[in-house]
Amino acid sequence: MKKLLVLAFAMYIPIGCVAQQKKVTSGTKQPNIVLLFADDAGYADFGFQGSKEMITPNLDKLAAQGVRFTQAYVTHPTCGPSRAGLITGKSQYRFGYEENNVPTFMSAVSAADGDEMGLPVEEITMADYLKQQGYSTAIFGKWHLGGADRFHPTKRGFDEFYGFRGGARSYFEYTEEPKEPQNKLERGFGKFKEHDGYLTDVLADEAILFIEKNVKADKPFFAFISFNAVHTPMDAKPEDLAQFPNLTGNRKIVAAMGLALDRAVGNIMDKLKELDVDDNTIVVFTNDNGGPSDKNGSSNYPLSGIKSNHLEGGIRVPFLMKYPGKLKSGIIYDKPISTFDLLPTFYKAAGGNLEDLKDIDGVDLLPYINGTNNERPHETLFWKRDARAAIRKGDWKLIRFPDRPTQLFYLPNDEKEMKNLSAVEPERFRNMYKELFAWETTIERPRWLLKKQYEKQDIERMDAHWDKKEF
């Protein structure tokens, strides 16, 4: 019977993954992995990022215990594509995941719409790789990588799922059918039942149950807590709102939502310590894109721009990593990294051979953080959305716009991207422009496109949050 089960599992593994099927057999105990992922949080909205308004003691403690990255980037400035890059360890543009997968009522213009927009089933996920290393895998919260059944987390390497397939939902129980069915709360596959209480707290509680179960079974685990906090709708608990008497409007609500997020993180971290596994657990905290300041009151200070554009405020995110025994505490790492680096970093820590990872763009970050490798993890990074695109090469960044000339910035002296140096550095400008186009010729066309009205809205939002820049 055991042989039949092994054969069935082997048949499930995607072609090309055979090399990863062996579980680690070395004497080193595999680390547990906890990925804490916020949604639409502002770059500045944490104590460890310098905020004097937000209350985030647990995340501040995590920052003090591990590494804080000052130039961490997402692979795209909106939710779905950003998640696709993170979970595959590669640039999602290479498989056509360029536009956000949106609810049906927003009217995508494509052969794929609504539930049919999702992470291609042939792509191998972070959970696939870790499961093949012997890990129990689970995701809690927002999926947003496809609503159709074939895209379901439990068919993409996750043993367990508690959350919602869509992009945004109420933090409180739905008392009637939601407008977008993808946002119903689901346990496992197809078991829909609403929660009691505030969702941010509930997701942490569910993750803790998963952690406890696997610690008891002495099995390494990967817990991906994909919070929808602090994405709209602006829902907060009255007692959390009361902690910010000097704030008003959405700024007050996002602060309360951030407080709940920090509390949830603290509960998970406390449980790891209580179970005596915190010293053998990698913990990462980051965010899916820049804060949409006009929607949820978030702040990306001192960066210009917001979610959905290629200014630093749209693509640079808070990022923390704790790995006891492997990374020193209180370290600041200031070279550019990307969220697609997490897959190879986790896989290597789990005992995997990096040579077995085929066709990815990420790198194992540990040698760079520890100083074994003093080069940059990435000399060049790219972003794209329709006619817009950006390239960061070294400390220089070029942004191509659909409605004005392309601009060039030197980030060390111009973090707000206010000084266009294209005329001062014509050769550099020309070479980077050509390199950006050359990269574009290597990627796939988008699998779906949104109506142009949304592109217009994004440009208007960018201009509104580009500090007093005149064109």
Side-chain angles (χ1 to χ4, degrees), residues 171 198 229-231 233-236 253-262:
Y171 291 75
Y198 188 68
V230 291
H231 196 293
M234 303 305 291
D235 292 339
I253 302 173
V254 79
M257 294 167 75
L259 176 62
L261 171 66
D262 184 80

Side-chain angles (χ1 to χ4, degrees), residues 276-324:
D276 198 27
V277 294
D278 57 323
D279 283 344
N280 191 45
T281 301
I282 302 171
V283 179
V284 170
F285 172 80
T286 189
N287 186 46
D288 62 347
N289 45 246
S293 306
D294 56 345
K295 304 292 184 182
N296 70 355
S298 55
S299 170
N300 296 317
Y301 181 85
L303 310 175
S304 292
I306 58 173
K307 174 181 179 177
S308 82
N309 63 69
H310 296 134
L311 293 170
E312 292 291 285
I315 56 177
R316 198 195 297 190
V317 293
F319 196 111
L320 305 174
M321 180 183 292
K322 176 187 176 186
Y323 191 179

Side-chain angles (χ1 to χ4, degrees), residues 252-454:
K252 182 185 186 80
I253 302 173
V254 79
M257 294 167 75
L259 176 62
L261 171 66
D262 184 80
R263 178 174 62 243
V265 168
N267 289 340
I268 294 170
M269 299 296 292
D270 288 346
K271 180 58 65 172
L272 293 172
K273 188 172 183 62
E274 176 190 323
L275 296 172
D276 198 27
V277 294
D278 57 323
D279 283 344
N280 191 45
T281 301
I282 302 171
V283 179
V284 170
F285 172 80
T286 189
N287 186 46
D288 62 347
N289 45 246
S293 306
D294 56 345
K295 304 292 184 182
N296 70 355
S298 55
S299 170
N300 296 317
Y301 181 85
L303 310 175
S304 292
I306 58 173
K307 174 181 179 177
S308 82
N309 63 69
H310 296 134
L311 293 170
E312 292 291 285
I315 56 177
R316 198 195 297 190
V317 293
F319 196 111
L320 305 174
M321 180 183 292
K322 176 187 176 186
Y323 191 179
K326 299 292 184 179
L327 295 176
K328 294 180 181 179
S329 60
I331 299 298
I332 295 177
Y333 188 78
D334 60 3
K335 295 176 182 176
I337 66 163
S338 173
T339 47
F340 58 41
D341 295 325
L342 286 175
L343 187 154
T345 301
F346 291 163
Y347 184 70
K348 181 65 164 58
N353 185 344
L354 291 177
E355 293 182 359
D356 294 337
L357 297 178
K358 308 300 182 185
D359 196 32
I360 69 164
D361 297 301
V363 299
D364 174 21
L365 290 173
L366 261 65
Y368 298 93
I369 303 169
N370 287 330
T372 305
N373 189 334
N374 290 317
E375 297 179 356
R376 293 173 182 247
H378 302 282
E379 180 64 21
T380 309
L381 292 169
F382 299 95
W383 300 267
K384 178 174 166 57
R385 186 172 183 178
D386 201 12
R388 290 181 281 153
I391 172 176
R392 172 165 178 163
K393 189 172 185 65
D395 288 327
W396 292 84
K397 182 178 171 189
L398 179 145
I399 307 180
R400 190 182 69 207
F401 305 93
D403 65 339
R404 69 202 66 169
T406 300
Q407 299 186 35
L408 178 68
F409 306 100
Y410 184 61
L411 294 176
N413 296 342
D414 186 22
E415 201 169 42
K416 287 181 176 292
E417 298 163 290
M418 302 291 289
K419 302 173 184 176
N420 177 16
L421 300 178
S422 57
V424 180
E425 294 274 346
E427 184 176 0
R428 186 187 305 275
F429 175 83
R430 182 168 55 252
N431 290 339
M432 288 181 66
Y433 195 106
K434 290 174 70 66
E435 185 173 355
L436 176 59
F437 175 74
W439 168 76
E440 287 178 299
T441 65
T442 69
I443 64 177
E444 292 293 331
R445 290 192 179 277
R447 290 173 176 262
W448 55 86
L449 291 170
L450 305 185
K451 285 186 176 180
K452 280 294 187 181
Q453 70 189 69
Y454 300 113

Side-chain angles (χ1 to χ4, degrees), residues 58-122:
N58 295 297
L59 285 165
D60 299 345
K61 182 179 178 181
L62 178 60
Q65 293 174 338
V67 180
R68 180 169 69 89
F69 297 78
T70 62
Q71 297 192 67
Y73 289 96
V74 290
T75 62
H76 195 274
T78 58
C79 303
S82 175
R83 284 168 167 74
L86 177 148
I87 208 165
T88 61
K90 65 194 290 187
S91 173
Q92 71 284 349
Y93 307 106
R94 295 203 288 116
F95 49 86
Y97 206 133
E98 185 174 313
E99 290 278 11
N100 214 23
N101 44 330
V102 296
T104 307
F105 66 83
M106 284 186 68
S107 300
V109 180
S110 166
D113 202 354
D115 289 356
E116 300 307 312
M117 294 183 286
L119 182 70
V121 294
E122 61 270 19

Side-chain angles (χ1 to χ4, degrees), residues 46-210:
F46 303 92
F48 66 85
Q49 292 288 86
S51 177
K52 302 300 182 184
E53 293 180 329
M54 300 301 179
I55 303 174
T56 58
N58 295 297
L59 285 165
D60 299 345
K61 182 179 178 181
L62 178 60
Q65 293 174 338
V67 180
R68 180 169 69 89
F69 297 78
T70 62
Q71 297 192 67
Y73 289 96
V74 290
T75 62
H76 195 274
T78 58
C79 303
S82 175
R83 284 168 167 74
L86 177 148
I87 208 165
T88 61
K90 65 194 290 187
S91 173
Q92 71 284 349
Y93 307 106
R94 295 203 288 116
F95 49 86
Y97 206 133
E98 185 174 313
E99 290 278 11
N100 214 23
N101 44 330
V102 296
T104 307
F105 66 83
M106 284 186 68
S107 300
V109 180
S110 166
D113 202 354
D115 289 356
E116 300 307 312
M117 294 183 286
L119 182 70
V121 294
E122 61 270 19
E123 296 299 328
I124 306 168
T125 73
M126 180 184 292
D128 287 323
Y129 282 117
L130 290 173
K131 188 171 181 178
Q132 292 155 20
Q133 290 300 113
Y135 279 66
S136 292
T137 58
I139 180 170
F140 305 91
K142 175 174 173 175
W143 176 237
H144 210 200
L145 289 172
D149 288 350
R150 69 182 181 281
F151 301 129
H152 196 270
T154 58
K155 298 183 180 182
R156 310 311 299 271
F158 289 98
D159 298 315
E160 299 183 26
F161 172 55
Y162 181 82
F164 56 101
R165 303 186 193 187
R169 59 152 289 144
S170 172
Y171 291 75
F172 299 104
E173 175 187 5
Y174 282 128
T175 56
E176 57 185 43
E177 187 75 7
K179 184 175 182 180
E180 181 52 54
Q182 286 188 15
N183 294 324
K184 295 189 294 184
L185 201 62
E186 182 178 15
R187 184 183 297 278
F189 180 78
K191 297 178 182 178
F192 298 96
K193 183 180 179 181
E194 287 298 300
H195 63 296
D196 294 323
Y198 188 68
L199 187 56
T200 304
D201 294 321
V202 171
L203 294 178
D205 292 342
E206 292 286 336
I208 286 170
L209 291 174
F210 171 77

